Amino acid sequence: MQMADIVNSQTRSRMMAGIRGKDTVPELVLRRSLHALGFRYRLHVKGVPGKPDIVMPKYNVVVFVHGCFWHRHVGCRFTTTPATRPEFWKAKFEANQRRDRKLLEALMGQGWRVATVWECALRRTQQVAESTNRLTSWLLGSCVVIEIGESEISWKQEPCRPPDQWR
């Protein structure tokens, strides 16, 4: 889906440059929720491939909080494509997805369990609670990979999938 840009190119450039890579609002919300439940973690650990948003060595778990737009959350209403320079954006998004797949393989190869929590699952208080509950259940289980987005919450789907079904 493409959207028309409603601002000029200078304004858009300034807006895009201001997007943070870490300590984003969705990430902070999830961290607060996990901490309130008693979970302790480390942030952006340099020795772990991809410097995950949250690292929980006790559970051998890494958690990525992905933006739906940047990482292309499949089927999400926030996964839009700007109408200007579509070739650039297509290449950018494909590179992001390739990097995500390689990171997943590298992390699993090192024995890490990997969770991806999409920003759409962290927009409302109830969603945060449900996402945190699902993540907590997964942490205490044995599944290797989990993906939690708005659709998994609203449809009550099982978010845990075998690694060979990842993307």
Side-chain angles (χ1 to χ4, degrees), residues 33 37 121-122 124-134 153:
S33 185
L37 291 174
L122 300 170
R124 288 187 228 103
T125 305
Q126 183 59 35
Q127 290 177 315
V128 173
E130 181 66 29
S131 296
T132 305
N133 288 340
R134 285 182 176 246
I153 292 170

Side-chain angles (χ1 to χ4, degrees), residues 78-97:
F78 301 110
T79 304
T80 59
T81 302
T84 57
R85 299 175 48 204
E87 301 81 25
F88 165 81
W89 287 108
K90 183 176 188 253
K92 172 88 173 145
F93 295 144
E94 287 173 354
N96 287 351
Q97 289 179 306

Side-chain angles (χ1 to χ4, degrees), residues 5-20 70 85 89:
D5 205 348
I6 58 172
V7 297
N8 64 35
S9 61
Q10 285 180 325
T11 304
R12 175 65 58 208
S13 180
R14 183 177 40 78
M15 290 167 64
M16 295 305 249
I19 295 173
R20 302 172 62 106
W70 293 106
R85 299 175 48 204
W89 287 108

Side-chain angles (χ1 to χ4, degrees), residues 1-3 72 77 79-82:
M1 176 201 291
Q2 289 191 355
M3 60 183 195
R72 310 314 285 169
R77 61 192 166 120
T79 304
T80 59
T81 302

Side-chain angles (χ1 to χ4, degrees), residues 3 40-41 49 54 59 75 82 84 91 119 130 140 150 158:
M3 60 183 195
R40 299 301 179 253
Y41 45 80
I54 299 170
Y59 300 96
T84 57
E119 78 173 303
E130 181 66 29
L140 303 173
E150 184 177 46
E158 176 55 47

Side-chain angles (χ1 to χ4, degrees), residues 135-146:
L135 186 59
T136 300
S137 296
W138 175 80
L139 279 169
L140 303 173
S142 61
C143 190
V144 176
V145 176
I146 187 174

Side-chain angles (χ1 to χ4, degrees), residues 6-160:
I6 58 172
V7 297
N8 64 35
S9 61
Q10 285 180 325
T11 304
R12 175 65 58 208
S13 180
R14 183 177 40 78
M15 290 167 64
M16 295 305 249
I19 295 173
R20 302 172 62 106
K22 58 184 175 181
D23 298 331
T24 62
V25 171
E27 185 182 328
L28 293 172
V29 165
L30 182 61
R31 285 176 7 199
R32 274 189 219 109
S33 185
L34 287 170
H35 193 272
L37 291 174
F39 289 100
R40 299 301 179 253
Y41 45 80
R42 294 171 57 203
L43 305 175
H44 313 289
V45 177
K46 291 181 183 177
V48 178
K51 293 191 271 185
D53 301 314
I54 299 170
V55 179
M56 300 172 135
K58 178 179 178 179
Y59 300 96
N60 206 34
V61 162
V62 298
V63 180
F64 290 98
V65 180
H66 279 339
C68 300
F69 175 80
W70 293 106
H71 295 271
R72 310 314 285 169
H73 185 197
V74 177
C76 180
R77 61 192 166 120
F78 301 110
T79 304
T80 59
T81 302
T84 57
R85 299 175 48 204
E87 301 81 25
F88 165 81
W89 287 108
K90 183 176 188 253
K92 172 88 173 145
F93 295 144
E94 287 173 354
N96 287 351
Q97 289 179 306
R98 267 193 310 277
R99 185 184 66 239
D100 290 345
R101 281 191 297 275
K102 285 181 182 178
L103 276 175
L104 177 67
E105 291 170 11
L107 288 162
M108 288 183 355
Q110 291 183 8
W112 290 98
R113 296 170 57 217
V114 183
T116 301
V117 181
W118 294 96
E119 78 173 303
C120 63
L122 300 170
R123 289 183 168 260
R124 288 187 228 103
T125 305
Q126 183 59 35
Q127 290 177 315
V128 173
E130 181 66 29
S131 296
T132 305
N133 288 340
R134 285 182 176 246
L135 186 59
T136 300
S137 296
W138 175 80
L139 279 169
L140 303 173
S142 61
C143 190
V144 176
V145 176
I146 187 174
E147 187 172 352
I148 302 171
E150 184 177 46
S151 61
E152 288 82 12
I153 292 170
S154 62
W155 295 341
K156 305 293 184 207
Q157 292 178 339
E158 176 55 47
C160 185

